[in-house]
Amino acid sequence: MAKSKIETYLGFCVKSREISIGSGAISTLRGGVRLLVLDGTSAKNSWRLALKFKNRFSCPLIICKSGFEQAVNKGGAKIAAVLNKELAKAILNNLDDNYELYVGGTN
């Protein structure tokens, strides 16, 4: 199956080291987070952390419905923070059926 544009942009983030993967890595950041990406199959605790990070960094949160680990090239990953402003904007402008912008409410 062909990669979506978002998966390609996430790959660029990984190659340029403009992404933090995992809640531990994200919690050490002081700022500069432009976008959060959460695996839609995550447990309730991961959702809670994602919302906490969303409020802390005042950035958008998108939910990946499937294939998150392959998109960020890291097994077991549930959350990632995009640090590059232009790549975050490109990801938000190219949301597809597999990714949705979180707008609030319960999971």
Side-chain angles (χ1 to χ4, degrees):
M1 187 166 81
K3 279 186 166 185
S4 72
K5 282 188 174 186
I6 294 177
E7 290 170 341
T8 302
Y9 291 136
L10 288 172
F12 291 156
C13 291
V14 170
K15 279 193 173 238
S16 65
R17 298 181 186 221
E18 294 284 339
I19 193 168
S20 284
I21 302 171
S23 59
I26 296 170
S27 66
T28 64
L29 298 174
R30 299 286 178 229
V33 175
R34 306 297 184 188
L35 175 68
L36 291 166
V37 185
L38 177 69
D39 186 346
T41 63
S42 298
K44 194 176 240 184
N45 190 44
S46 295
W47 279 84
R48 184 183 57 80
L49 283 171
L51 294 175
K52 176 182 136 187
F53 293 143
K54 178 185 183 317
N55 292 331
R56 177 174 164 192
F57 297 116
S58 299
C59 65
L61 169 66
I62 61 171
I63 310 301
C64 175
K65 296 177 185 172
S66 66
F68 179 75
E69 294 176 4
Q70 291 80 21
V72 295
N73 199 25
K74 182 148 181 150
K78 297 296 178 191
I79 188 169
V82 175
L83 307 175
N84 184 291
K85 183 178 181 179
E86 295 304 316
L87 285 171
K89 190 181 345 178
I91 290 168
L92 286 170
N93 289 335
N94 289 288
L95 293 179
D96 57 24
D97 293 339
N98 193 37
Y99 294 87
E100 67 179 280
L101 183 64
Y102 179 81
V103 291
T106 59
N107 53 326

